[in-house]
Structures are given as structure tokens and as C-alpha cells.
């Protein structure tokens, strides 16, 4: 389906899952397994005209993270690129989608498996004749009742505090008061997010960092209220050289645990 600005979206309705994907950014915007609340946060002020990345869901930061190394958009070109849908497969457990985006000699393929669990695998291949350095982050916005009540286990013992410009060593089971912007430099492979009556189990593969972010009261223009999300980002930030013909991948798996007594999923 298309909106008034010509952006293309794919709505998924399956007995095991409901989801919404934007081909601008190749971005999963909504993901709701049957019997569970919506797991991804999408800003009510998100812009859907293609002039800027859509705020929420799981944007892909690629082929760089943060400011551009030269001229270019914040967090790379993939968030603003028009992706190609290559394949859709369906079975009793869910839907699998394959998407493609190219930027010069670099190719980014995304495989999304949507069902009772979510698996996102993003693979970069260097199709050029020269080595290239590539960063990537899966900028996941997880919906929570209130970010100040969240607890997260398994981030890692050490992080770089980007707001205070310092390195911190400590416990990897944390509660948080926004704002925070942390890069965990010795990340775990499994993370548990406690959010109200819901627990979300995250598994990260081929990552070298985990990024934790919430802007607090200093809101970007496309966020009305930041209290309802926390970003836990699987990332490859050390940017090793990718030789001609080589590929590298980043994988995120997301599984909600059975809900605790008394927690009722939102209607819709």
C-alpha cells in the first residue's frame, strides 16, 4: 500500500503475528505477536513524507553510525533509502521477507522472520574493487509502559557515556533515568528487558557493541513524549575493513516471555 506521499508499506496479518514494514528505510515499524502487546514504539509525530527517517520501529544505521565521515546524513543512507522487496514466504509459524538496498559498491540485504519471535539479519557485502569500512546498528525502539520503571540485564560491564564523555565500569543490571546515551563496549550476547508485566528476551550475534538511548526531556522535533520507549541497539561500530567480495552480518532475535499475571495487552 502507498500513502499520500508515495511511500510504500507492507502490512502483515498472519494468525501468529501482525506487523507493518516501510520500504523507505526497509524499516519494521510495528511487530505484535498474537496474544502480546505491540513490542515496538512508533512516534505519534513520525514524519511519513520521505523527507527524514521514520521515528520508531527498527531503523538500520548503515554504512556508518552517528555523524557522516564526510558529507552525508546522520546514521548513514539506509534509513532514507528506498528498499526493494525481493521475496516473501509464509508458513504456519509466520512470514519471512527478504529486502535489498545498495549504496555504491556496498550491498545491504535484510532478512526478517516474523512470528511468535522476531529475527532480523542484516548482511553487508562489498561488491567493489577496494576495501571499505562499514558500521551498522539496529536502532530498535522497544515500547515500554514507562522508561523509568524498566530494568535491563545483560548489557555488559563497561560502557562509554556519550553525554558525560567518560568511560564507566560497573554492574550490567541497570535501571535508568533519562536522558542516557551509552555504548557498551564489552557487550553480552543475551539481554533481558523488564518492561511492566512484559519481559523481552534479546539475543545479539556478530555485534561488538550495544547502544542504550533515550533522549529524556530534550526531545527531537518528531517525538512528543519519550517516556514510552527505550532503544537497545545491536551494533558493529569498530568498522573493520571489508575486503572486495567479503560479507559481514548482524543479527537480532527478539522473544517476548509469557506475560506476568495481571498484564493485559492493549486492544488492536
Amino acid at each position: 500500500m502507498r500513502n499520500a506521499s508515495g511511500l510504500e508499506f507492507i502490512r502483515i496479518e498472519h494468525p501468529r503475528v501482525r506487523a507493518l514494514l516501510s520500504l523507505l528505510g526497509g524499516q519494521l515499524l510495528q511487530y505484535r505477536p498474537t496474544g502480546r502487546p505491540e513490542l515496538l514504539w512508533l512516534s505519534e509525530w513520525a514524519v511519513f513524507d520521505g523527507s527524514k527517517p521514520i521515528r520508531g520501529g527498527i531503523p538500520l544505521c548503515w554504512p556508518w553510525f552517528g555523524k557522516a565521515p564526510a558529507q552525508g546524513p546522520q546514521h548513514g543512507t539506509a534509513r532514507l533509502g528506498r528498499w526493494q522487496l525481493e521475496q516473501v514466504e509464509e508458513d504456519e509459524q509466520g512470514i519471512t521477507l527478504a529486502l535489498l538496498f545498495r549504496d555504491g559498491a556496498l550491498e545491504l540485504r535484510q532478512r526478517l522472520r516474523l512470528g511468535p519471535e522476531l529475527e532480523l539479519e542484516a548482511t553487508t557485502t562489498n561488491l567493489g574493487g577496494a576495501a571499505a569500512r562499514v558500521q551498522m546498528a539496529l536502532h530498535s525502539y522497544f515500547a515500554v509502559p514507562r522508561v523509568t520503571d524498566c530494568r535491563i540485564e545483560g548489557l555488559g560491564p563497561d560502557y562509554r557515556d556519550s553525554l558525560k564523555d567518560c568511560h564507566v565500569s560497573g554492574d550490567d543490571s541497570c535501571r535508568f533515568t533519562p536522558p542516557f546515551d551509552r555504548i557498551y563496549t564489552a557487550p553480552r550476547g543475551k539481554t533481558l528487558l523488564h518492561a511492566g508485566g512484559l519481559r523481552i528476551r534479546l539475543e545479539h550475534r556478530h555485534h561488538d557493541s550495544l547502544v542504550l538511548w533515550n533522549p529524556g526531556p530534550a526531545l527531537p522535533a518528531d517525538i512528543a513524549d519519550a517516556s514510552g520507549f527505550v532503544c537497545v541497539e545491536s551494533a558493529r561500530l569498530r568498522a573493520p575493513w571489508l575486503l572486495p567480495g567479503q560479507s559481514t552480518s548482524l543479527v537480532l532475535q527478539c522473544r517476548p516471555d509469557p506475560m506476568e499475571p495481571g498484564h493485559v495487552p492493549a486492544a488492536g
Side-chain angles (χ1 to χ4, degrees), residues 28-78:
L28 186 63
L29 301 177
Q30 298 174 346
Y31 167 66
R32 182 177 180 180
T34 300
R36 299 287 189 266
E38 173 62 51
L39 295 189
L40 298 179
W41 177 88
L42 181 63
S43 175
E44 61 186 283
W45 288 358
V47 176
F48 292 96
D49 63 8
S51 64
K52 63 188 302 181
I54 299 171
R55 178 72 72 175
I58 308 181
L60 276 74
C61 303
W62 178 94
W64 59 81
F65 180 82
K67 294 182 179 179
Q71 294 294 321
Q74 176 89 352
H75 290 318
T77 56

Side-chain angles (χ1 to χ4, degrees), residues 129-202:
R133 301 192 72 175
V134 178
Q135 293 177 306
M136 183 189 305
L138 308 178
H139 198 316
S140 309
Y141 289 78
F142 291 105
V144 299
R146 190 166 56 183
V147 65
T148 52
D149 292 338
C150 288
R151 181 167 60 88
I152 304 179
E153 300 174 50
L155 291 166
D158 306 303
Y159 64 88
R160 181 73 186 175
D161 190 320
S162 299
L163 299 180
K164 298 179 180 179
D165 192 23
C166 66
H167 189 84
V168 179
S169 295
D171 190 355
D172 67 353
S173 177
C174 303
R175 293 182 182 272
F176 307 98
T177 301
F180 47 80
D181 186 356
R182 302 178 178 182
I183 299 176
Y184 284 80
T185 53
R188 309 296 190 197
K190 295 182 179 180
T191 304
L192 181 59
L193 170 60
H194 299 263
L198 185 68
R199 290 180 301 186
I200 304 174
R201 295 187 180 273
L202 306 175

Side-chain angles (χ1 to χ4, degrees), residues 1 18 20 22 34 41 51 59 67 78 80 88-89 92 104 120 127 132 136 144 150 156 186 199 206 216 233 243:
M1 63 182 184
R18 292 185 177 184
L20 180 67
S22 168
T34 300
W41 177 88
S51 64
K67 294 182 179 179
L80 278 170
V88 179
E89 297 179 351
E92 293 181 356
L120 191 165
L127 302 177
M136 183 189 305
V144 299
C150 288
R199 290 180 301 186
H206 312 306
E233 308 172 37
L243 299 177

